[in-house]
Each structure stands twice: as structure tokens, then as C-alpha cells.
């Protein structure tokens, strides 16, 4: 196994043995855990340290498993406590670190210089100002304020969450000789949007580390200043995957998706290996711009990176990309090939099927979801109700709307009500749609009334059409299209007096109908705009 000094001063040191270096995943970790239980779980303190380190730090996704293991240890030492703090702080649930520290205090475990920085990092990630200030007080109380590790973490906390002036006071003096302190101050100003101050600090840094370069590039990207970010990126002496990802994400956020994809090609040409974050940004670019062919190439690269296994978040992004690019067959193929699924996975494919008109398959998949004990949410029911509306399945739609609240305790929102009105209106049940609107538990919006107005045009219902138009006017929605719809309803019934009244109403309310345009091409002339003047 491993030999470690058990004093508090070296309680954060870790040198892994050959046995534990072979522990590559949670499954192998559980096998070692089982062996330790057979041989007496609490009998080997060195093995317990390894077990906690592997479950809390090496495999960060298994932090809950680490907490369950930790609860079974009768007398954890300071290394184990600090390891749990470290793993919890860097996990997706940093609040667990604060919980662990609270347990330490209750059991009167004396902290060391490593303890508080882990807790403070968790407070910074959570933006917990009060808890962070409390930890600052405890650092001073225990005499660690001059410890380099603790001081840098304090600077980072105050620069990002607390008082930037306190961060500046901590930074003055000996801290200015530490590149980590410079990076922490730069990151704090950049995160607060004070990029001019951050840039001055960055330019004045005696030595610029990788973190400081990435901090400045990311700061510019978040404010949409991709040109400034690219300027820094181009003179960056030694980029890493984070640097490339920052630029790619910046272009995607600004809608410059072609530049994002070009940056990816540059990344590959420079010999930098993309990671999952890179692929997520690229899939987002393909989705937003409907670059299906490029998306397929990204898909192949993802499969190669994962040796054929598709991680959950990448799988969801791929299904979404294919569905929104119109390749619903491929979206289904990816979805069915995913080993791991969550509610978002089901929602993405259900919505994709619904909005592409595959209503029967959408409803069938929803029933599969329920049979497999996944709990649908409000987004799921939007997809199902859209499917019922498009397929004319009124009875099924009514049933799903009822079960949403009765079976899953989901309160309908405006989107669900809108789906129901659309479903009833499409089926020609205009009176029922009108009654449904009247008993809605939330105020109907313009979309609801416009849906009813559109259906009145299809079914030539003048009375309800006029009422829907009046409700739109009360909402202050002087949209010329609404007047045109009402005018067309009158025209379909040969009620020309009604058409004239609508035109007069438009004039009185100052509503202007844009002239309709069409394009014609003649043999000897370029394309011309031929405008057709029509007020209604």
C-alpha cells in the first residue's frame, strides 16, 4: 500500500500505491471496498485513506458514494476530513464541503492550514458571502492568515464574491511576489466585468501563468469582446484546451458559429486534443446554424474520443442537434443507443418528435418513459400536448392534461394552456376552446387569443373572432396581422361591411399594414420588387 506521514502538517500529501493506481473506475473501487469489508473495514487506516481519496477526488462524480463511505469510518483522521472537503468543494455539490466542515466542528477536530481553503473554495463557487466571511474569521482565529495557500484562497474569495478592497489589502505586500495572487486578483476584476482594471493587472504581472491568460480571454469572451479575446489568444505563448474552448464558446455565444468551427479546425491543426467541453460548444454551433453535415463529423469525432461510449451530456446534445437540424431519424438512433438517459434525454426526443409532426411515435415514446419509471416534468407534457394537437387526439390530450396535475403534481403553465387551446381550436371545437380559456387559472396572453383568432378564420366564426380580437386590443397588441385575420373572417362570410369596419379600426388606431411584396424575374431585367398595396 502507501506510506504517509500522519502528522497534521502533511495531512494533504498523497502518494498512490500500485494497487490503487489500477483503480480506474467506480466499479473497481467498489470491488476494493468489498474486499476491505471482508478483511475488517476500519482495521487498515492507510487503506481507508486510499479509499476516501479515490472516491472523493479521483472519481469526482462519486462524491455521494464517498460520503456514504466516510460515514462508516469510526475515527477518520485529518487527512480523511481534508480529502472529503477537497472532493466536495470541487464536485457539482460544493455545499457538501460546508456540511463536512460543520461535522468537523461538532466533533472538535482541529483544522490545519489545508482545511479552510477547501471550505472557502466551496463558498466562492456557491457565492456564499456570509459563510465565506465566517471562514475568513476562523482562518484568522487559528493563525493561518499568513499561510500562502490560505491567503491566496482568501484573495480569490474576496475578489470574486466578497469585498474587492479586502482582496486588494491582502494582495499588497508579499502576495505581489506570488503569481497565484496576481491571477486571483485579475480573475476577480474580470468576473466583476471590470476588464480595464483586470487588463492593467494582467499587463503588470511580473510572470504570467496559464491561468491568468485564460482568465483574461474568458473575461473578454463573456462580455462579447471576441476581437480583444482573439488578440490575446494570438500572442498567448502556450495555450491549453481551456484557451481554445474559451475562444470557441465566445464565438458561439456571439452567434459567430462559422468562426467557432474554423477555430476548431485551427485547434486540431495545432495538435491540441479537444475535450467534451469543446464538443458541446461545437454541437451548439451546429444546432444554432443547422450545420447538419458538420454536426455529423463532430459526432464521429465524439465517438472516437469516447471509444464508442457516449456520455450523457454529449448524447443529449447530439440528439438535440439532430432533432433541431431536421434529422429526426438520426436523433432517434442516437437516443436509443444511449446507455445512460435522464429526463432531459426523454424531453429532447419527445419535443423533437412532436415539433416534426411524428405525433404517434412521440406519444408512444412518452408511454415508454412512464413504463420505465422516469418522472416526466412540465417540459415533457408540452411535447406530449403538442403531439396530441398535431394528431387531432383531443381525448388523449384532455387525459394527459388532467394526469399532469393529478398524477405528477405539475401545475399547468401558459404553454400547457396554449397547447390545449391550439388542440381544441384545430379540431374545430371553438366553443370548448373559448370555455377553456374562460376557466384558465392564469391570465390568457396574446398567444392564446391569437390562436383562437386564427382558428376562427379557418372555421369562419365571426362572433368568436371579433371577441378574440377585442381581447388582443385590451392587451395592447395592435398587430396588423390580427386585424387582417379578422378582416378575412368577415370576407369569407361575404360580410363586406365588417371588412370596412376593420379597416377603419386600423386607421383609427394608427395600425399600418406593410405592403406585400413579390419577386419576378424577366428575361431582360434583373429581379424587381413588385409591391401589392393591401391594407387588410
Amino acid at each position: 500500500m502507501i506510506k504517509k506521514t500522519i502528522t497534521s502538517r502533511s495531512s494533504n500529501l498523497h502518494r498512490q500505491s500500485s494497487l490503487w493506481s489500477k483503480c480506474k473506475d467506480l466499479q473497481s473501487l467498489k470491488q476494493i471496498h468489498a474486499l476491505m469489508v471482508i478483511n475488517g473495514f476500519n482495521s487498515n487506516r492507510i487503506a481507508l485513506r486510499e479509499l476516501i481519496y479515490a472516491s472523493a477526488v479521483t472519481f469526482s462524480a462519486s462524491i455521494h458514494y464517498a460520503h456514504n463511505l466516510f460515514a462508516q469510518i469510526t475515527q477518520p483522521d485529518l487527512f480523511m476530513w481534508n480529502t472529503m472537503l477537497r472532493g466536495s468543494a470541487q464536485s457539482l455539490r460544493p455545499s457538501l464541503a460546508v456540511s463536512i466542515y460543520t461535522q468537523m466542528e461538532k466533533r472538535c477536530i482541529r483544522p490545519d492550514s489545508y482545511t479552510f481553503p477547501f471550505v472557502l473554495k466551496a463558498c466562492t463557487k456557491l457565492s456564499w458571502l456570509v459563510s465565506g466571511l465566517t471562514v475568513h474569521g476562523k482562518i484568522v482565529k487559528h493563525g493561518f492568515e499568513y499561510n500562502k495557500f490560505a491567503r491566496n484562497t482568501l484573495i480569490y474569495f474576496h475578489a470574486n464574491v466578497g469585498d474587492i478592497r479586502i482582496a486588494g489589502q491582502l494582495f499588497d505586500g508579499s502576495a505581489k511576489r506570488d503569481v497565484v495572487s496576481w491571477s486571483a486578483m485579475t480573475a476577480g476584476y474580470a468576473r466583476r466585468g471590470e476588464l480595464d482594471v483586470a487588463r492593467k493587472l494582467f499587463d503588470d504581472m511580473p510572470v504570467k501563468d496559464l491561468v491568468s491568460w485564460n482568465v483574461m480571454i474568458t473575461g473578454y469572451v463573456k462580455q462579447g469582446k471576441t476581437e480583444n479575446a482573439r488578440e490575446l489568444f494570438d500572442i498567448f505563448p502556450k495555450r491549453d484546451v481551456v484557451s481554445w474552448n474559451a475562444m470557441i464558446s465566445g464565438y458561439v455565444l456571439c452567434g459567430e458559429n462559422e468562426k467557432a468551427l474554423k477555430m476548431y479546425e485551427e485547434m486540431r491543426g495545432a495538435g491540441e486534443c479537444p475535450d467534451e467541453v469543446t464538443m458541446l460548444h461545437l454541437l451548439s454551433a451546429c444546432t444554432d446554424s443547422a450545420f447538419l453535415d458538420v454536426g455529423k463529423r463532430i459526432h464521429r469525432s465524439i465517438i472516437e474520443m469516447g471509444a464508442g461510449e457516449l456520455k450523457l451530456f454529449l448524447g443529449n446534445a447530439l440528439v438535440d442537434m439532430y432533432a433541431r437540424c431536421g434529422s429526426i431519424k438520426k436523433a432517434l438512433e442516437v437516443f436509443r443507443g444511449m446507455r445512460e438517459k435522464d429526463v432531459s434525454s426523454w424531453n429532447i426526443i419527445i419535443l423533437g418528435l412532436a415539433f416534426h409532426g411524428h405525433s404517434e411515435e412521440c406519444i408512444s415514446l412518452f408511454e415508454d418513459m412512464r413504463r420505465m419509471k422516469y418522472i416526466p416534468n412540465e417540459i415533457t407534457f408540452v411535447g406530449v400536448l403538442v403531439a396530441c394537437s398535431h394528431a387531432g387526439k383531443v381525448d388523449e390530450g384532455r387525459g394527459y392534461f388532467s394526469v399532469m396535475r393529478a398524477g405528477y403534481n405539475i401545475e399547468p403553465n401558459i404553454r400547457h394552456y396554449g397547447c390545449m387551446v391550439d388542440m381544441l381550436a384545430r379540431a374545430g371545437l371553438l366553443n370548448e376552446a373559448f370555455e377553456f380559456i374562460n376557466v384558465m387559472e392564469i391570465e390568457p396572453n396574446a398567444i392564446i387569443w391569437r390562436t383562437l383568432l386564427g382558428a376562427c378564420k379557418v372555421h369562419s366564426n365571426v362572433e368568436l373572432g371579433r371577441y378574440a380580437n377585442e381581447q388582443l386590443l385590451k392587451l395592447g397588441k395592435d398587430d396588423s396581422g390580427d386585424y387582417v385575420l379578422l378582416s378575412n373572417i368577415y370576407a369569407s362570410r361575404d360580410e363586406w361591411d365588417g371588412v370596412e369596419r376593420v379597416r377603419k379600426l386600423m386607421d383609427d388606431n394608427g395600425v399600418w399594414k406593410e405592403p406585400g411584396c413579390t419577386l419576378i424575374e424577366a428575361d431582360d431585367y434583373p429581379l424587381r420588387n413588385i409591391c401589392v398595396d393591401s391594407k387588410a
Side-chain angles (χ1 to χ4, degrees):
M1 301 298 289
I2 328 172
K3 292 184 178 178
K4 286 190 207 70
T5 306
I6 308 189
T7 62
S8 65
R9 288 184 180 275
S10 19
S11 62
N12 201 57
L13 296 176
H14 182 262
R15 295 187 298 275
Q16 199 172 51
S17 69
S18 58
L19 172 63
W20 285 90
S21 65
K22 296 175 183 177
C23 183
K24 300 297 184 184
D25 52 32
L26 184 58
Q27 186 60 37
S28 56
L29 179 71
K30 289 180 177 180
Q31 291 172 352
I32 297 174
H33 175 203
L35 184 62
M36 289 173 62
V37 170
I38 293 171
N39 294 326
F41 182 70
N42 281 284
S43 62
N44 188 331
R45 185 159 296 274
I46 301 299
L48 283 175
R49 286 182 166 202
E50 288 286 12
L51 186 66
I52 291 300
Y53 186 88
S55 58
V57 178
T58 307
F59 308 117
S60 57
S62 63
I63 191 65
H64 291 290
Y65 184 68
H67 277 262
N68 291 334
L69 289 174
F70 188 73
Q72 299 171 29
I73 300 174
T74 52
Q75 290 185 319
D77 60 23
L78 189 53
F79 173 83
M80 298 179 200
W81 283 103
N82 283 347
T83 301
M84 288 300 299
L85 287 171
R86 175 182 173 183
S88 299
Q90 70 186 25
S91 74
L92 295 176
R93 289 196 59 195
S95 59
L96 293 171
V98 180
S99 174
I100 282 288
Y101 177 70
T102 302
Q103 293 179 44
M104 279 186 74
E105 283 200 318
K106 287 180 179 177
R107 294 173 66 168
C108 300
I109 306 297
R110 184 173 179 78
D112 67 1
S113 58
Y114 293 105
T115 304
F116 294 114
F118 293 138
V119 185
L120 201 57
K121 283 183 178 179
C123 293
T124 306
K125 286 178 72 174
L126 294 161
S127 297
W128 284 4
L129 176 60
V130 175
S131 298
L133 292 174
T134 302
V135 175
H136 187 168
K138 292 183 183 295
I139 288 173
V140 174
K141 177 182 176 182
H142 287 273
F144 297 130
E145 67 266 35
Y146 297 109
N147 175 271
K148 181 178 177 180
F149 187 35
R151 184 199 59 213
N152 285 339
T153 315
L154 277 170
I155 291 173
Y156 188 77
F157 165 75
H158 282 291
N160 285 273
V161 178
D163 191 331
I164 194 72
R165 293 171 299 176
I166 296 176
Q169 292 166 8
L170 291 165
F171 177 66
D172 287 338
S174 62
K176 285 194 172 182
R177 296 194 294 269
D178 187 356
V179 66
V180 177
S181 302
W182 281 91
S183 294
M185 286 298 297
T186 305
Y189 279 110
R191 182 174 179 179
R192 292 167 185 263
E194 298 181 49
L195 290 180
D196 291 339
V197 182
R199 183 60 186 266
K200 186 179 186 308
L201 276 168
F202 176 78
D203 291 339
D204 291 344
M205 285 178 72
V207 179
K208 297 176 178 65
D209 63 355
L210 181 65
V211 173
S212 60
W213 282 93
N214 286 337
V215 159
M216 280 308 307
I217 291 172
T218 304
Y220 280 127
V221 159
K222 286 184 176 178
Q223 288 201 8
K225 298 181 178 180
T226 52
E227 291 183 6
N228 299 86
R230 185 62 197 252
E231 176 192 343
L232 268 186
F233 181 85
D234 287 340
I235 61 172
F236 197 161
K238 192 176 180 181
R239 309 163 186 139
D240 65 354
V241 68
V242 176
S243 322
W244 289 95
N245 287 347
M247 285 305 307
I248 291 171
S249 71
Y251 285 131
V252 174
L253 287 171
C254 293
E256 299 178 281
N257 295 315
E258 290 187 8
K259 288 185 178 180
L261 295 168
K262 185 179 178 182
M263 178 65 73
Y264 172 63
E265 295 301 326
E266 291 182 35
M267 180 183 186
R268 297 299 296 266
E272 184 67 62
C273 294
D275 60 9
E276 288 88 351
V277 176
T278 318
M279 295 309 185
L280 279 175
H281 291 316
L282 294 172
L283 286 173
S284 179
C286 294
T287 302
D288 292 341
S289 299
F291 293 151
L292 181 58
D293 289 339
V294 180
K296 288 178 179 178
R297 292 203 298 272
I298 301 299
H299 185 183
R300 286 194 291 271
S301 298
I302 290 171
I303 296 301
E304 291 168 6
M305 283 173 52
E309 186 173 344
L310 198 58
K311 292 187 177 180
L312 175 64
F313 54 90
L314 283 173
N316 287 347
L318 275 168
V319 175
D320 189 44
M321 184 273 294
Y322 279 121
R324 290 172 63 183
C325 287
S327 184
I328 197 67
K329 183 178 178 182
K330 191 65 178 177
L332 271 170
E333 180 185 318
V334 175
F335 173 79
R336 288 177 173 142
M338 291 170 62
R339 292 184 181 180
E340 184 184 359
K341 298 181 180 73
D342 62 4
V343 174
S344 293
S345 316
W346 291 91
N347 285 350
I348 291 166
I349 193 64
I350 284 172
L351 285 168
L353 288 166
F355 285 110
H356 281 83
H358 298 271
S359 302
E360 297 286 352
E361 196 157 12
C362 172
I363 295 168
S364 175
L365 207 60
F366 174 67
E367 292 301 333
D368 288 343
M369 178 185 184
R370 296 175 71 188
R371 278 193 296 272
M372 295 174 72
K373 306 302 181 185
Y374 285 92
I375 307 299
N377 59 22
E378 64 274 8
I379 298 171
T380 323
F381 279 99
V382 169
V384 175
L385 291 174
V386 167
C388 291
S389 177
H390 289 179
K393 293 180 175 292
V394 176
D395 290 338
E396 289 88 340
R398 291 192 191 105
Y400 287 132
F401 187 81
S402 298
V403 82
M404 181 170 62
R405 176 182 283 164
Y408 297 99
N409 200 30
I410 298 172
E411 287 299 317
N413 60 38
I414 195 68
R415 291 177 298 173
H416 301 119
Y417 284 116
C419 289
M420 287 298 294
V421 172
D422 183 61
M423 180 186 70
L424 294 169
R426 280 173 180 261
L429 303 172
L430 298 186
N431 289 327
E432 185 177 343
F434 175 70
E435 292 300 326
F436 183 86
I437 294 171
N438 281 339
V439 298
M440 280 173 54
E441 296 180 7
I442 54 180
E443 193 70 25
N445 62 7
I447 296 173
I448 298 285
W449 290 115
R450 198 164 284 133
T451 299
L452 183 63
L453 179 60
C456 289
K457 192 267 180 186
V458 173
H459 298 283
S460 302
N461 191 317
V462 174
E463 184 179 351
L464 277 181
R466 187 190 301 115
Y467 183 82
N469 188 260
E470 289 171 358
Q471 300 308 308
L472 285 166
L473 292 178
K474 287 180 181 178
L475 291 172
K477 303 298 180 182
D478 287 331
D479 189 297
S480 63
D482 299 333
Y483 291 94
V484 171
L485 275 175
L486 183 59
S487 175
N488 288 342
I489 294 172
Y490 281 118
S492 68
R493 299 278 296 269
D494 294 332
E495 297 184 19
W496 305 109
D497 289 344
V499 173
E500 288 302 320
R501 285 197 301 272
V502 172
R503 287 184 174 180
K504 185 177 184 305
L505 190 60
M506 289 176 70
D507 291 337
D508 292 343
N509 290 335
V511 179
W512 174 249
K513 167 73 170 62
E514 288 285 341
C517 295
T518 185
L519 291 173
I520 64 169
E521 184 176 11
D523 293 338
D524 300 323
Y525 298 95
L527 286 173
R528 297 179 179 180
N529 285 338
I530 308 298
C531 294
V532 181
D533 186 12
S534 76
K535 291 183 179 179

